[in-house]
Amino acid sequence: MDAVGVFEFHSFQRHAAGRVAYIHISGKEENAVKRTFQKGAALTLAALWFPVAFFALAETPKEALDRLKEEQERIEEQIEQAGQRQEDAATLKTLYQQKANSILAQLDALNGQISQQRDEVEKANEALAQAQRRVEDGREAFEKRLVAMYETRYQSSLAVLLGVGDISQMMRFAENLTRISVANKARVDGYAQAKQEIETQAAAQQAVLDEMQQASAQLEQTRQEYAAAIQQADTALSQAQADQQSYEAAYEDKVHEVEQATKEYLAWIAQDDNPGGQPPLDGSWLWPLPGYQPGSGYGWRTLNGKPDFHRGVDIPAPAMTPIRAAVGGVVSVQRHSSYGNCVKVSVGGGMVVIYAHMTCWASDLSNGMTVEAGHILGYVGTTGNSFGNHLHFEVDINGQPVQPLNYVSPA
């Protein structure tokens, strides 16, 4: 089986000549390169028994077309990837924006609570200040009373006795002093206890405020992180959009190149190197691989899961089986990315016959020489885009493929 235009395959001769041509190596291309060296080794051994001819050839129209189509497919993948990147960036931006909006709402609500809590803290601090003043005022009054009581206690006993009517009055005076002292101390202690309670309440209010402010700081940090993420998503989105525009422009250029390469390839296929010749009408065609039957036929088929038009018939046969010209004509030797080592025989009247995937060409073959039916053109192989040893046998008239079995039958 063979397939057209799946990967770019560089010729063995170019490698043998020391020219490096491995650019943009994909997985398919890497496998093709491995197959090239494996087949090259087999070809070297085979050359010990079979005389072969190799030609140093430039890129053929078919190779150029296959290469451009592959580049076009890569650009299509890049456009698709850029579109996916745009979609991903837009999705992330929307997600981050939603989260950022949620954070902003939380910040607004928390800042409102913080404002209320500040009011509560200010009230608690004011109450604490008032309590502090009451304690200080009470302590000052208590100290003044103590001084007055101290001065009174140490007045002369005679002055005390002279100032009272009887002994009971003096005793009541002393008792009243004691009561005043106890009452004053209790009042001051009460102020101090009230102050301590207010301090505890104020500390609790401050702790709540500190916790809120810490939560606000964390939310603000998260908001800034989302803002940075949104900026990154914007940058990625802009870059993806720019890349897609660039890829689309490159794709348009590649479309024109493919169109031009297609014209050149079709012109090469349609080129009749034997304008004076005429296809034989007496049924004198020969089967190119006597004793071997065709496998994959001419026409539409499915290849690698995709519809594919097979331009000829495939004839499986062992490697190095001689391939004979089905009809005489002028030889043109080419090396294709998909057809591998290939011989085109121009029959005349716009008809050409193509023999593809050869291991090698016959030693006496050269461009422009005329061969007769039955002449050995080369040997079966699996060069190019091929799966197993076989001959791809194709007939074209004015560049259009036709059913080869209309001209020759297996023998």
Side-chain angles (χ1 to χ4, degrees):
M1 292 172 53
D2 58 273
V4 179
V6 177
F7 53 75
E8 183 176 353
F9 185 87
H10 301 285
S11 68
F12 175 82
Q13 281 75 11
R14 279 180 260 176
H15 296 303
R19 292 175 58 189
V20 178
Y22 298 112
I23 301 174
H24 301 300
I25 297 298
S26 66
K28 297 176 184 176
E29 292 172 324
E30 183 179 356
N31 293 333
V33 171
K34 289 179 180 177
R35 287 207 303 271
T36 302
F37 283 107
Q38 292 169 355
K39 296 170 189 175
L43 182 58
T44 302
L45 293 175
L48 295 175
W49 293 279
F50 292 90
V52 296
F54 294 101
F55 303 87
L57 302 172
E59 185 181 51
T60 66
K62 184 64 172 65
E63 288 178 315
L65 179 59
D66 290 345
R67 173 180 56 78
L68 290 173
K69 285 184 176 179
E70 183 178 347
E71 292 173 358
Q72 186 178 28
E73 290 177 359
R74 284 198 294 267
I75 294 175
E76 288 175 344
E77 292 176 359
Q78 290 173 331
I79 291 175
E80 183 178 354
Q81 292 170 0
Q84 185 62 50
R85 284 164 48 204
Q86 286 188 62
E87 183 177 341
D88 293 344
T91 299
L92 282 176
K93 179 181 178 180
T94 300
L95 176 63
Y96 291 148
Q97 190 64 62
Q98 291 174 347
K99 290 182 177 295
N101 292 339
S102 175
I103 294 296
L104 284 175
Q106 295 178 53
L107 273 174
D108 289 341
L110 184 57
N111 288 335
Q113 296 174 1
I114 289 175
S115 179
Q116 295 177 357
Q117 188 63 28
R118 284 200 182 99
D119 292 341
E120 295 297 325
V121 170
E122 290 178 1
K123 292 178 182 178
N125 289 334
E126 179 61 27
L128 180 61
Q130 292 178 0
Q132 179 67 31
R133 287 193 293 272
R134 285 195 297 270
V135 170
E136 292 174 354
D137 292 345
R139 182 178 289 111
E140 184 179 355
F142 178 61
E143 290 174 352
K144 288 180 179 180
R145 291 190 183 93
L146 284 177
V147 170
M149 291 170 62
Y150 177 82
E151 292 176 349
T152 301
R153 180 179 296 174
Y154 288 98
Q155 289 178 352
S156 64
S157 298
L158 179 59
V160 172
L161 291 174
L162 292 176
V164 297
D166 51 29
I167 189 64
S168 61
Q169 185 178 2
M170 184 181 70
M171 294 179 64
R172 284 195 300 273
F173 177 75
E175 183 180 350
N176 287 338
L177 288 178
T178 301
R179 287 178 179 175
I180 291 172
S181 175
V182 171
N184 285 337
K185 183 177 184 305
R187 184 178 294 111
V188 172
D189 290 343
Y191 289 154
Q193 183 177 359
K195 177 193 173 187
Q196 185 176 3
E197 292 176 355
I198 293 174
E199 283 179 344
T200 301
Q201 294 174 1
Q205 296 287 355
Q206 185 62 48
V208 172
L209 178 60
D210 292 343
E211 185 177 352
M212 287 181 174
Q213 289 176 332
Q214 183 178 3
S216 177
Q218 291 176 348
L219 285 174
E220 176 60 26
Q221 180 179 357
T222 303
R223 185 196 67 78
Q224 293 177 1
E225 290 173 355
Y226 279 126
I230 291 172
Q231 181 62 40
Q232 291 178 353
D234 270 333
T235 301
L237 180 59
S238 299
Q239 184 61 52
Q241 290 171 341
D243 288 346
Q244 186 173 32
Q245 292 175 356
S246 175
Y247 294 147
E248 288 175 348
Y251 182 79
E252 290 299 321
D253 293 339
K254 196 61 62 178
V255 166
H256 295 310
E257 291 183 33
V258 169
E259 290 175 351
Q260 181 61 33
T262 300
K263 292 178 181 178
E264 294 175 0
Y265 169 66
L266 294 177
W268 180 82
I269 287 291
Q271 179 180 345
D272 185 356
D273 296 327
N274 187 17
Q278 288 295 328
L281 302 177
D282 56 0
S284 59
W285 287 48
L286 301 178
W287 187 244
L289 286 176
Y292 297 98
Q293 300 298 309
S296 179
Y298 169 87
W300 286 103
R301 62 181 178 175
T302 299
L303 185 66
N304 297 326
K306 297 180 180 180
D308 174 75
F309 186 81
H310 194 206
R311 296 175 62 96
V313 295
D314 291 339
I315 310 172
M320 301 306 296
T321 301
I323 301 169
R324 299 181 180 275
V327 63
V330 177
V331 169
S332 174
V333 177
Q334 294 286 352
R335 190 178 306 281
H336 289 166
S337 59
S338 57
Y339 282 9
N341 297 328
C342 170
V343 173
K344 180 178 74 171
V345 175
S346 296
V347 181
M351 175 182 286
V352 300
V353 182
I354 295 177
Y355 307 81
H357 304 308
M358 295 180 178
T359 295
C360 55
W361 303 298
S363 60
D364 64 343
L365 218 60
S366 62
N367 282 317
M369 73 177 290
T370 300
V371 296
E372 301 294 334
H375 190 103
I376 295 178
L377 302 175
Y379 303 91
V380 171
T382 182
T383 56
N385 187 12
S386 170
F387 304 93
N389 292 301
H390 73 282
L391 167 67
H392 172 81
F393 181 53
E394 176 180 331
V395 178
D396 292 293
I397 298 178
N398 297 323
Q400 298 300 317
V402 295
Q403 171 62 269
L405 299 183
N406 290 341
Y407 299 90
V408 61
S409 298

